[in-house]
């Protein structure tokens, strides 16, 4: 049962354009959402997060939007740069029972072409 | 800046042998995780650990796998009898998790396990 879904395994954009990475979730108990970026042969690194009480969080070129009613979030990167080429993971966290666990999506490979 | 450290960076082992992958999480973190990534595939969750016990595990984490926090600083993943398909990059992660604002998980650089 995939509680966090990233339905696009890959995305290719031109340098300078906007990259939009999408994520859907099914568990209404999720309270906090995070995006991680991963380069080959490295561990994932934290990028940006958003609490369920907000609908937008911005950090430089990165903005995350949350639509709670649709259980959907997206990461916008603008302008995209070749160094942004990586796998992006959406992750979610919820306070439920005794389990504290980040649930990850399967990732989207972003390629930014010069 | 505090970081999660993993040793060794690369481990080669013969099929059927036991391996222990070691991790030192960030010192004030409470939640620990192991993930793996088979070459060319996606990062997969293995297990989460809190308060000295497993809080959740995936179907990958069968009886051949175990985790331990032996001394309050290290967090280890043991594979009792390795199989060829265990070859992967194994990532350790930790998070504070004591409030919603501290759920960011920090990942180590990974241990590449090669089973021959």
């Amino acid at each position: 049962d995939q509680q966090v879904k990233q339905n696009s395994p890959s995305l290719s954009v031109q340098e300078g354009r906007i990259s939009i990475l999408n994520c859907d979730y099914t568990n209404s108990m999720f309270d906090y959402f995070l995006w991680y970026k991963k380069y080959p042969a490295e561990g994932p690194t934290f990028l940006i997060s958003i609490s369920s009480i907000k609908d937008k969080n911005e950090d430089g070129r990165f903005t995350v939007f949350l639509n709670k009613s649709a259980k959907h979030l997206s990461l916008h990167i603008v302008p995209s740069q070749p160094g942004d080429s990586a796998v992006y993971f959406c992750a979610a966290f919820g306070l439920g029972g005794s389990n504290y666990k980040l649930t990850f999506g399967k990732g989207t490979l972003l390629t930014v072409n010069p | 800046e505090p970081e999660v450290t993993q040793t060794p960076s690369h481990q080669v082992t013969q099929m059927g042998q036991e391996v222990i992958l070691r991790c030192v999480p960030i010192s004030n973190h409470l939640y620990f995780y192991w993930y793996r990534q088979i070459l060319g595939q996606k990062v997969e969750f293995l297990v989460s650990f809190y308060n000295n016990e497993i809080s959740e595990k995936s179907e990958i984490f069968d009886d051949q796998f175990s985790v331990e926090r032996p001394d309050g600083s290290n967090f280890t993943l043991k594979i009792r009898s390795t199989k060829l398909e265990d070859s992967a990059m194994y990532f350790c992660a930790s998070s504070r998790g004591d409030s919603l604002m501290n759920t960011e998980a920090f990942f180590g650089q990974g241990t590449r396990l090669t089973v021959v």
Side-chain angles (χ1 to χ4, degrees):
Chain A
D1 175 31
Q2 258 195 289
Q3 297 185 62
V4 176
K5 301 178 185 179
Q6 293 177 257
N7 291 320
S8 298
S10 63
L11 174 69
S12 183
V13 300
Q14 285 300 120
E15 181 178 7
R17 306 294 291 268
I18 185 171
S19 296
I20 300 176
L21 298 123
N22 293 304
C23 178
D24 297 290
Y25 62 97
T26 58
N27 190 339
S28 58
M29 298 301 291
F30 286 146
D31 299 291
Y32 208 69
F33 304 89
L34 309 93
W35 284 93
Y36 282 82
K37 175 180 178 180
K38 183 185 180 300
Y39 292 116
E42 292 186 11
T45 55
F46 172 74
L47 193 58
I48 192 169
S49 63
I50 188 166
S51 164
S52 60
I53 63 173
K54 295 185 176 181
D55 55 18
K56 177 182 175 182
N57 188 27
E58 191 172 351
D59 183 3
R61 296 186 297 114
F62 302 92
T63 304
V64 56
F65 295 92
L66 174 63
N67 182 335
K68 279 191 68 178
S69 60
K71 293 191 176 68
H72 176 84
L73 65 154
S74 61
L75 174 69
H76 293 211
I77 307 172
V78 56
S80 301
Q81 299 172 354
D84 296 329
S85 297
V87 176
Y88 289 79
F89 293 98
C90 171
F93 173 92
L95 294 175
S98 61
N99 293 329
Y100 285 67
K101 171 197 163 194
L102 288 171
T103 301
F104 282 79
K106 291 190 174 183
T108 296
L109 173 62
L110 173 66
T111 303
V112 180
N113 301 303
Chain B
E1 186 175 322
E3 60 180 15
V4 175
T5 56
Q6 290 185 244
T7 55
S9 56
H10 191 189
Q11 173 91 44
V12 180
T13 188
Q14 286 201 325
M15 188 171 57
Q17 294 296 305
E18 175 185 284
V19 293
I20 298 176
L21 309 182
R22 302 182 192 279
C23 170
V24 179
I26 294 173
S27 61
N28 62 346
H29 284 190
L30 304 175
Y31 299 88
F32 315 110
Y33 313 84
W34 282 101
Y35 290 80
R36 80 172 186 189
Q37 184 179 31
I38 295 172
L39 186 64
Q41 299 185 25
K42 300 174 179 66
V43 176
E44 302 173 293
F45 169 77
L46 293 179
V47 66
S48 59
F49 191 86
Y50 168 70
N51 199 26
N52 287 317
E53 61 182 21
I54 291 173
S55 54
E56 194 153 354
K57 60 183 180 180
S58 72
E59 63 275 8
I60 302 168
F61 195 89
D62 61 21
D63 292 344
Q64 293 301 309
F65 290 86
S66 62
V67 289
E68 195 177 30
R69 190 154 160 79
D71 56 13
S73 62
N74 291 284
F75 178 52
T76 62
L77 173 70
K78 182 193 290 186
I79 309 174
R80 290 190 182 82
S81 177
T82 50
K83 303 186 285 284
L84 294 176
E85 53 265 38
D86 293 328
S87 296
M89 181 74 89
Y90 287 80
F91 294 104
C92 172
S94 69
S95 66
R96 283 186 62 180
D98 55 338
S99 75
L100 287 178
M101 299 305 293
N102 291 312
T103 55
E104 172 192 339
F106 291 77
F107 284 77
Q109 289 291 90
T111 293
R112 178 164 296 285
L113 176 65
T114 303
V115 182
V116 297

